Amino acid sequence: MAKRLALVTGGMGGLGETISTKMADAGYRVVVTYSPSNKTADKWVAGMKSGGYDFHAYPCDVADYDSCRSCVANVANEIGQIDILVNNAGITRDMTFRKMTKADWDVVLHTNLDSVFNMTKQVCDGMVDRGWGRVINVSSVNGSKGAFGQTNYSAAKAGMHGFTKSLALEVAKKGVTVNTISPGYIGTKMVTAIPKEILDSKIIPQIPVGRLGKPEEIAGLIIYLCSEEAAFVNGANIAINGGQHMA
């Protein structure tokens, strides 16, 4: 049987890159998407290839439905049908609600939540028709507990799981599972760029295990959810936050 094909949105980011490489290590064929504004995509692909990862990368504005439709059509024509979708792309525009503009709200909701519809819509029917599929939505601990200065981000990440639960009900009998994972603070470049004194005094003390999570740990959970052994996990929101928030 041909190897399953996985598409990871935002696959060139700190977490996305680790998800992509670990999925490739686990035997999946991997396609990544990147923002059309990314001018270093070719360099990234070349760097991955020199490291042994022959990734295919496609520009895609995940906030734009037509861009997602075109992207997935190109993947299907050039690589194959998508068996696994990891909705990982996301952005932040953090500020208090008082300072937040409509544009700040819209860009986060479009990129973090509308994208889940835009991408899943392109692949879900094919998964159902073939009788197998995995949709994994990467949310956040702050979608579960809220966060100061993140009304836009937390609303989008909470909305992802409402989507997950409802779609899971619709496709469960067709061999397709839909799940959410909600990482806490992970040691990506974005998080480790936070001043050390803030990490040490404000963030790490909130995490019972006493450290940041590792991107590899997030990837490991995603790989499990893609497996046959995880076929009974459906509509779940799996927290992976070191005990920072227990629902």
Side-chain angles (χ1 to χ4, degrees), residues 8-21 32-35 38 44 48 88-90 188-190 215:
V8 181
T9 67
M12 293 184 183
L15 180 57
E17 180 179 308
T18 300
I19 293 170
S20 300
T21 57
V32 302
T33 72
Y34 62 92
S35 170
N38 185 340
W44 183 89
M48 288 291 105
N88 169 71
T188 60
K189 292 178 183 177
M190 182 175 69

Side-chain angles (χ1 to χ4, degrees), residues 220-247:
L221 175 56
I222 290 173
I223 289 166
Y224 166 68
L225 290 173
C226 294
S227 70
E228 297 299 336
E229 290 81 3
F232 204 56
V233 182
N234 200 21
N237 183 8
I238 302 178
I240 180 166
N241 60 44
Q244 181 185 358
H245 179 70
M246 304 181 193

Side-chain angles (χ1 to χ4, degrees), residues 29-85:
R29 295 181 296 154
V30 178
V31 171
V32 302
T33 72
Y34 62 92
S35 170
S37 64
N38 185 340
K39 304 303 182 185
T40 63
D42 290 344
K43 182 178 179 181
W44 183 89
V45 170
M48 288 291 105
K49 193 166 187 176
S50 67
Y53 296 101
D54 190 15
F55 291 145
H56 296 271
Y58 289 81
C60 181
D61 178 359
V62 294
D64 181 84
Y65 183 85
D66 289 337
S67 179
C68 294
R69 180 170 58 186
S70 176
C71 173
V72 172
N74 288 336
V75 173
N77 289 334
E78 297 172 13
I79 310 297
Q81 298 296 327
I82 295 164
D83 302 300
I84 298 162
L85 172 63

